[in-house]
Amino acid sequence: MLDIRFEKREKLKEKPDQKNLPFGKYMTDYMYICDWSKEEGWHDARIVPEGPIPMEPSCMTLHYAQETFEGLKAYRRADGKIQLFRPEMNAKRMQNSNARLCMPEFPVEDFVNAVKTLVKTEEDWVPSEPDTSLYIRPFCFATEASLGVHMASAYKFVIICCPVGAYYASGLDPVKILVEDELVRAVRGGTGFTKCGGNYAASILGQVKAEKLGYEQVLWLDGETRTYVEEVGSMNIMFKIDGEIWTAPIEGTVLPGVTRDSMIHLLRDWGYKVREEHLAIKDLMEAGHNGKLEEVFGTGTAAVISPVGELRYKDDVIQINDMKTGELTQKLYDTLTGIQWGKLEDKYNWTLPVED
Ligand SMILES: Cc1ncc(COP(=O)(O)O)c(C=O)c1O
């Protein structure tokens, strides 16, 4: 495993008010950096003061977008200890992203050790107010300064963190989602299963369109036929239809969410039939009209679970569960957050303390 050296900051930053933590705004005092070169592979792992990273204007990432990232959280338990949630899944997902983008894979054990060491260094930044956490953003990018599309000769792997507040200020709040029937997010053979910046750049136009129509998020359909539901901008999505749970299969176009996988475990343990199958948008809207669509919810690290109260596809609009959070949605939220914050027993061994 890589040794991590430490470079002390002269003056620590002032910490923001824990009761008012907007997402992604206040970075902590330190960041983790590791370099990769053809000659040395991954080397010089270090925790250094958080701040600008110098870059040439010809840095390949700025032109050809060889960039991948991850998102996970550290949670403070009631006894003050800090824990992570399934970080090795993020590490493996980043390896898959990097492999697709022809970027060197960062070893899983070094990823987990880097996250643990940085969070331990920044333990005073892990908030303790209810539903707050420390958001952790690992990312990897090409640093070679040269034009021309090719695999770069140098990369950096970096981790930054920021304390974040409760996603919903006052309990779960159902969102309105627009089904995008023109633009697409991913096609088979493309990069849909990776967490690369380019996927998100291409999705912003859909998000802007949705917001103009008064919708908060976009539900993407499959890129080839625009027939089947896939996922939301930064969440996977699940539908409870006639007592069964439907969600898009992981076949290369949808991001394999850590929250999605955890929810599927819980649901199957509770006796639900979970169908990881293609679901046509027209069948979904029909289920909405004939009363069979009982609950809809997005799943992702940021919000854990996001109830969906309204779906619009072209001119057709359905409301789900009278725009209220469903019983199963609430139970999934309570159970998963209970495990993440250490209030419920973790029988799946999903949590990892930052201190051994
Ligand atoms: C496109 C997309 N789908 C799904 C997810 C949910 O993944 P996870 O549960 O690992 O946060 C995310 C968030 O990372 C995402 O950006």
Side-chain angles (χ1 to χ4, degrees), residues 69-72 89-90 93 135 137 185 192 194-195 199-200 220 231-237 253-262 299-302 304:
F69 66 100
E70 271 303 325
L72 66 163
M89 283 198 79
N90 297 91
R93 188 167 67 188
Y135 185 78
R137 167 54 58 85
R185 178 189 171 275
T194 73
K195 221 163 153 55
N199 286 348
Y200 296 82
W220 299 100
E231 66 179 322
V232 185
S234 56
M235 290 188 292
N236 296 108
I237 190 160
T253 53
V254 163
L255 191 80
V258 176
T259 322
R260 174 190 181 280
D261 184 80
S262 310
T299 68
T301 298
V304 183

Side-chain angles (χ1 to χ4, degrees), residues 14 42 51 56 149-150 168 190 200 216 223 230 255 283 344 350:
E14 205 170 300
W42 290 109
E56 295 293 335
V149 181
H150 56 266
Y168 298 100
Y200 296 82
E216 285 141 287
E230 294 220 313
L255 191 80
D283 295 338
L344 292 180
W350 281 338

Side-chain angles (χ1 to χ4, degrees), residues 150-169:
H150 56 266
M151 189 187 158
S153 60
Y155 293 87
K156 267 190 177 17
F157 172 69
V158 182
I159 310 175
I160 52 175
C161 316
C162 54
V164 294
Y167 200 82
Y168 298 100

Side-chain angles (χ1 to χ4, degrees), residues 284-305:
L284 175 65
M285 298 306 282
E286 201 180 302
H289 286 298
N290 67 22
K292 294 208 159 129
L293 182 59
E294 295 155 355
E295 297 185 35
V296 179
F297 50 90
T299 68
T301 298
V304 183
I305 200 158

